[in-house]
Amino acid sequence: MFAFPSIEFIIQHSILTMGFDVNLPLREVLFVKDFRGFRSGDRFQFKKQVTLLSGDNGAGKSTLISEIRTLFKSYGSFHPSIHIKAKPNNKISGKCEYIDLAGGLLKSQSYFSDDSELQIHCLYKSFGESALMQLLSLLKNFDGAFLIIDEPERGMSSAKQFIIAKLLKKWVISHPDVQVLIVTHSFEIMDEFFNFDSEISELKVLPGFVSMSPTQLRNSYRAFSLTLWKSAKDEC
């Protein structure tokens, strides 16, 4: 049986004052063995209620959130790993919900609302429209302590991404006791949270888990893209 390499997660249960009191179930992640793009000793701290996680393809976003999910005793998804070490020894008692609507309604039903009427209604909508409806339904019924949303902007126009950003911000404000990790490439979402209140949200970029502003990330991507184009244009 395939086993994930051992990872020790340092969990500190404490109260932070960030405009309001919020209990963060996950404060720090420490890799103790090399795993994919991560190295032993890599340490990632979560200091805010909302962490926006971004980075180029292959930077390790999916690997990191997959490992985080295994920390929780119960969570609203599947494929739990039993090969993870946590500190303290007991896993986090709160529920972790993982939302990823990338597979489409018929491919990833386990991620979707169990509302049968909604499921049927979504069959007559585009992927982007049905994903937005499903996301709203899942958020409405959320009852956990830690929420991971994986690229909620997939299949969405810029206008829809703007709406999703507003809806997510409104939901976060009304759920101050929930820690949220949003994996995103959407600058609409980044701008909405970053400009809203830096006391409750932060933008982290892999590799390195570097703190950035959306403007800094835009400039970084622009410079990187120009470098790639210079090296690739002669081959086109």
Side-chain angles (χ1 to χ4, degrees), residues 46 49-54 61 65 146-153 164-165 168-169 171-172 179-186 189-190 193 201-204:
F46 299 86
Q49 180 197 1
V50 181
T51 300
L52 303 170
L53 182 63
S54 194
K61 299 183 298 298
I65 62 175
F146 195 94
L147 175 63
I148 300 173
I149 308 178
D150 199 348
E151 297 187 30
E153 71 271 12
I164 286 178
L168 287 175
K169 184 186 73 174
W171 188 89
V172 164
Q179 188 175 358
V180 183
L181 175 58
I182 303 174
V183 182
T184 183
H185 296 285
S186 170
I189 294 176
M190 295 180 205
F193 277 94
S201 62
E202 58 185 349
L203 172 60
K204 295 290 187 176

Side-chain angles (χ1 to χ4, degrees), residues 156-195:
M156 304 289 183
S157 67
S158 294
K160 290 294 195 305
Q161 290 180 38
F162 178 80
I163 293 174
I164 286 178
K166 293 287 187 183
L167 291 171
L168 287 175
K169 184 186 73 174
K170 181 179 180 181
W171 188 89
V172 164
I173 293 172
S174 63
H175 294 78
D177 56 338
V178 178
Q179 188 175 358
V180 183
L181 175 58
I182 303 174
V183 182
T184 183
H185 296 285
S186 170
F187 284 104
E188 282 81 2
I189 294 176
M190 295 180 205
D191 287 337
E192 186 65 32
F193 277 94
F194 198 85
N195 295 332

Side-chain angles (χ1 to χ4, degrees), residues 27-29 31 38 42-46 64 206 208-209:
R27 295 292 310 285
E28 188 172 283
V29 175
F31 280 82
F38 297 100
D42 285 348
R43 187 188 304 269
F44 308 112
Q45 294 182 331
F46 299 86
L64 183 58
L206 289 175
F209 210 63

Side-chain angles (χ1 to χ4, degrees), residues 105-106 108-123 130 133-141:
L105 180 61
L106 299 180
S108 299
Q109 289 189 2
S110 297
Y111 292 124
F112 287 79
S113 167
D114 57 4
D115 185 334
S116 59
E117 291 187 7
L118 178 61
Q119 297 274 13
I120 294 172
H121 190 56
C122 284
L123 289 174
S130 63
M133 293 168 62
Q134 293 283 356
L135 178 61
L136 291 175
S137 177
L138 290 168
L139 290 176
K140 180 180 179 181
N141 297 309

